[in-house]
Amino acid sequence: MDVLILVYAFLILYPLFLLWWWADSKRDQECYLLDYECYKPTDDRKLDTEFCGELITRSGLLGLNEYKFLLKAIVSSGVGEETYAPRMVFARREENPAYEDGILEMEEFFKDSIGKVLARSGVSPQEIDVLVVNVSMLSVVPSLAARIMNHYKMREDIKVYNLTGMGCSASLISINIAQNIFKTRKNSYALVVTSECLSLNWYSGNDKSMILANCLFRSGGCAILLTNKRALKKRAMFKLKCLVRTHHGARDESYECCIQKEDDHGRLGFYLGKNLPKAATRALVDNLREISPRILPIRELLRFIVVSFIKKWKQGSSKVGGGTNTKAMINFKTGVDHFCIHTGGKAVIDGIGSNLDLSEYDLEPARMTLHRFGNTSASSLWYVLGYMEAKKRLKKGDRILMVSFGAGFKCNSCLWEVMRDLGDGNVWRDCVDKYPPKTLANPFMEKYGWINDEDPNTFVVPR
């Protein structure tokens, strides 16, 4: 009889134990963002109108057509006068940068942002279990990740990942790496370090498709502290709900639209092709198609399906009458409160706004970030997030959709849930009250507009 009781008890309790164990293990797989620190270089590295004009005229390779192109690009870029460039530009060495320039640019960022985020969170470098570093266009030996590990004297058993060539969408790839490691390691800290090195990649030639990168990309970076410790849930700023990565590298058109290469004279630069908007739109559509069912309520998905069917039916029946071919729009605001968009340029922000049917309020954080900090590559998302926080927009329970693009061509997106009311100024602390300004127009046209009236036969490079 006692044996039967034990058998019955085992048959009842063992499934309950397995269910508890499964639920408990899932809880330890959560990914929380404890803190982040965006990098603000010193004021002596700001690119104001006066210095930009001097920088452009230093090159002896540019003619009137290139000057007109640059003026048009800068005026329409959405970039303001307070963005930052690497030190070698101010030392007049952009045409012949040294290897050490790239190292210095990265080390200044590392020592500032990593130190601040660890000190503020109360986590020591020896407690970090995972280190993921992404800097696309600088590959050194020892790696940048190894340099950070050495500087902060991290543990020998730390898991280290050093990513290069991943482009502007690399920070979400780094987050995804940490998220996957959390599924197999309990009670862990992960430090994600995201930036870009401009010192060795400042283009000094006259190819228009490569000059454009100089108009958009600026110095910046961000250090992000993640954990899956459930005990720290109440201290966390955000909780990662889902992350989707889309890669179109198998398509030649997408692969070649955004690439680092040499021009016809052997000068290294970053090429931005005319088919980039098309590649970006295609990647965005495919990415949203996958993430939408994960983040939007069922009622919105059903509404979209029904409306799409009705529109197709009406268009099919009105072809003879010349009916308009309008597409049904899915309303992302039914599942998303804030939109954190990569500051790839004014056209990128406008394109995403059009595709997602967003208001100017939704696009404001991205536009202001582009104006104040420029395109800081993979770290730009975190400056946008910082703007939302500084403006006290982020309340407990809000959901934030991050969307980023990168060479490859890639589109990565993720959804965060705000864990508590937020309002720290972060990198925007000393200037957020000035934003949004009355106008985002920069003074380049006012100062250099006379170039458009110049005669190619008599034009002389200003000195």
Side-chain angles (χ1 to χ4, degrees), residues 64 67-68 71-72 445 448-454:
L64 181 59
Y67 279 112
K68 288 182 177 180
L71 180 62
K72 181 180 179 181
M445 182 61 75
Y448 300 108
W450 53 267
I451 288 177
N452 290 323
D453 300 324
E454 285 291 307

Side-chain angles (χ1 to χ4, degrees), residues 57 67 450-451 459-463:
T57 56
Y67 279 112
W450 53 267
I451 288 177
F459 176 71
V460 178
V461 176
R463 296 295 180 186

